[in-house]
Amino acid sequence: MLNRREMLQGLAAGAGAAFGLSLVPERLLAMPASKDTPKRVIFFMQNQGFDPATCIPEGMKRSGSLAKVKLPEPISPLEPYKEKMHIINGLHGIHTSPSHSAFFGALGGYRGSDGVPPSASTIDYELSKVLPQTLLPHLCIGMDSIENMTTKPTIATLSASGAGQPIFMHSNPNHLYQMLYGGISSGDIRRQHEARSNVFNQIEKLAAAKGRALPTADQQRYGQFVAGFKEVNGLRDRLDSVSDHLRKFAPKVDARYTSPEFETDWHDVLLDLGISSLTSGITNTLTIGSGRGEIFGAWKGLGIEQQGHNLGHMEQPGNPIWIKIRQYNSRMLVRIIEALESVPEGSGTMMDHTLIVYTSNNADKQHTSGANWPVMLLGNFDGAFKTGCFTQLDGKRPINALYATLLQAAGVPCDHYNMNEKLARKFDSGTGPLQELLV
């Protein structure tokens, strides 16, 4: 039987899980107030590893231009966008102990494991804090099998706002659509939105009143529960207040939402919702977890019958199954690029001020030591990053150095991201950003 403390912790988590929020009371949800050039970051994390042979052009051993080389077959859909690409090989994540997955450690740069809570915030959340504020500072979407996405519509394995504070991923597009666009919808979606809104308003008021009667020791934890509902209700109100604007960006709801034939139908509409959240300005930080940071995942819609852990035991280079999965991911990246390029911003387009980070939560392969962690960047983040090139590093700098580089490009100097001096001496041969990546 749960004691009162455990029950309150569960309620607090449940309040955030209902809408996939991070339950951080100090984070204010507000319309953008900054006059700085808008910037945005997208993290696409594919599970089961990212074998370097699936992204490095054949015969390319040293750093150099991609202009006259052909991209490997798994990422061939990105061939027209080579000038926006930067392929990086030779980072490591040994200290994260990835094996099957580094879980929160993949974006946190620290030791991670199945069922272990985050020990610090992750880079996607940290960037969401320093980029111009949006209605929803950070959105996470997770793609998996239909069974997993249905039974666990929210799950937390990749992103965190702090130690012991996971951020949930949305995996049911119906729930996510209702959260983002329920206020401008009609029919059943609107009725469900209003019913849920009324329930959450009542629960917030009841929780606030009842919490004052609790012993002092429990009031702080119960306060997190109340804050979760305030955050949910506040977000709903703010989205409703810009309903005319959002109507221009809301995707059309079709049978893929309610009657998906394959899990890839849900993957596709989740991506649509993620893209719309960026182009509408709802968020500027999007994390996509294909496999949701775990060892599962399914792509039956691509004609792939194998799923889950078995995929991780297959060699990726030359494997027709992994070629299909990686090309599917690449087409998703193309969809993001094309959508952002279609929206004017400043003297260019949204893509000119965007960075896409594509990698894995599992370094280079399943059962990895993390000694090599390939990464692919797309976009230059308002001119901060070199593009159209391949960089081969010496394996002595960790993924934390990449995250320090991202922060530097966002205007926040960082010597060692999520590394104390002792860890840095052991696992990082340098200090600060990776100068090889910056203009």
Side-chain angles (χ1 to χ4, degrees), residues 194-255:
E194 290 176 348
R196 182 170 292 191
S197 297
N198 289 334
V199 169
F200 272 75
N201 277 327
Q202 292 174 29
I203 292 176
E204 180 190 335
K205 293 176 182 177
L206 181 62
K210 295 294 184 182
R212 290 191 291 269
L214 289 172
T216 303
D218 289 329
Q219 283 184 9
Q220 182 177 2
R221 289 180 177 83
Y222 201 80
Q224 290 182 316
F225 171 55
V226 176
F229 282 102
K230 284 183 178 179
E231 193 169 347
V232 167
N233 294 331
L235 173 61
R236 185 203 66 232
D237 292 341
R238 286 170 172 81
L239 289 171
D240 287 350
S241 71
V242 291
S243 57
D244 288 342
H245 169 76
L246 294 182
R247 282 191 179 90
K248 306 171 187 175
F249 300 92
K252 182 180 178 181
V253 175
D254 54 33

Side-chain angles (χ1 to χ4, degrees), residues 88 93 97 117 122 132 140 222-223 251 253 266 312 333 355 370 381 402 419:
I88 306 156
S97 303
T122 51
C140 302
Y222 201 80
V253 175
W266 269 16
L333 296 175
L355 183 71
F381 206 51
L402 171 64
M419 270 191 166

Side-chain angles (χ1 to χ4, degrees), residues 177 180-181 184 239 242-252 272 275-277 279-282 342-343:
Y177 190 96
L180 297 176
Y181 301 114
I184 62 173
L239 289 171
V242 291
S243 57
D244 288 342
H245 169 76
L246 294 182
R247 282 191 179 90
K248 306 171 187 175
F249 300 92
K252 182 180 178 181
D272 288 342
I275 290 172
S276 75
S277 74
T279 55
S280 66
I282 289 175
S342 71
V343 181

